[in-house]
Amino acid sequence: MALPKANRLKSRKDFQAVFREGIRRQSSHLTLRALRPSCSTEPSLDAAINKPLTNSGQLASTQIGISISTKVSKRAVVRNRIKRQITAVLHNFLPKLSPGWRLVFVVKPTAAESKCVSQQFLQELEQLLAQAEVFHGNS
């Protein structure tokens, strides 16, 4: 199950901004890089990078990217399977996430060695999102 287009982090600039300015939380198989939504309403010079506000002034939906390198596995089939499993778990968490966040999940090489991947990813993703205070009610 793919993430909705509004919830996908696509551009290189967005990924770089998250890596440069975001906070980092780690677990055994994943690293979460999270960029908090900026609350400023005045336009800045780098408005393209800090764009969590929509045209109507409300916070945009949370955008999520997944980074998985060939260090995890040389086989694209394995990398894509891991990516699909993470995406499926994240799809369930979308309603619980606070708006405006930009998240990048970096998969560590230990993830390919794990057998019961889905359940483990579910627990780790929930733990990482809670640590970064991305869920509704945390700010």
Side-chain angles (χ1 to χ4, degrees), residues 9-20:
L9 194 64
K10 294 179 223 144
S11 76
R12 184 178 174 92
K13 276 186 178 178
D14 287 342
F15 273 88
Q16 286 174 337
V18 173
F19 276 97
R20 189 174 55 247

Side-chain angles (χ1 to χ4, degrees), residues 55-110:
N55 293 341
S56 60
Q58 62 188 18
L59 283 173
S61 56
T62 297
Q63 293 182 315
I64 301 170
I66 300 171
S67 173
I68 181 165
S69 76
T70 53
K71 290 179 184 176
V72 174
S73 174
K74 297 283 186 232
R75 298 177 54 213
V77 173
V78 174
R79 293 193 309 272
N80 289 337
R81 181 183 304 126
I82 292 170
K83 206 174 200 178
R84 280 194 308 272
Q85 288 171 332
I86 292 172
T87 304
V89 171
L90 285 170
H91 200 275
N92 297 332
F93 284 133
L94 279 179
K96 299 178 188 175
L97 300 178
S98 297
W101 282 85
R102 285 188 277 172
L103 310 171
V104 175
F105 289 93
V106 181
V107 181
K108 295 182 180 179
T110 56

Side-chain angles (χ1 to χ4, degrees), residues 1 7 25 49 53 59 68 81 88 92 123 128:
M1 193 180 301
N7 294 108
R25 299 290 180 261
I49 294 174
L53 295 177
L59 283 173
I68 181 165
R81 181 183 304 126
N92 297 332
Q123 291 171 344
L128 288 171

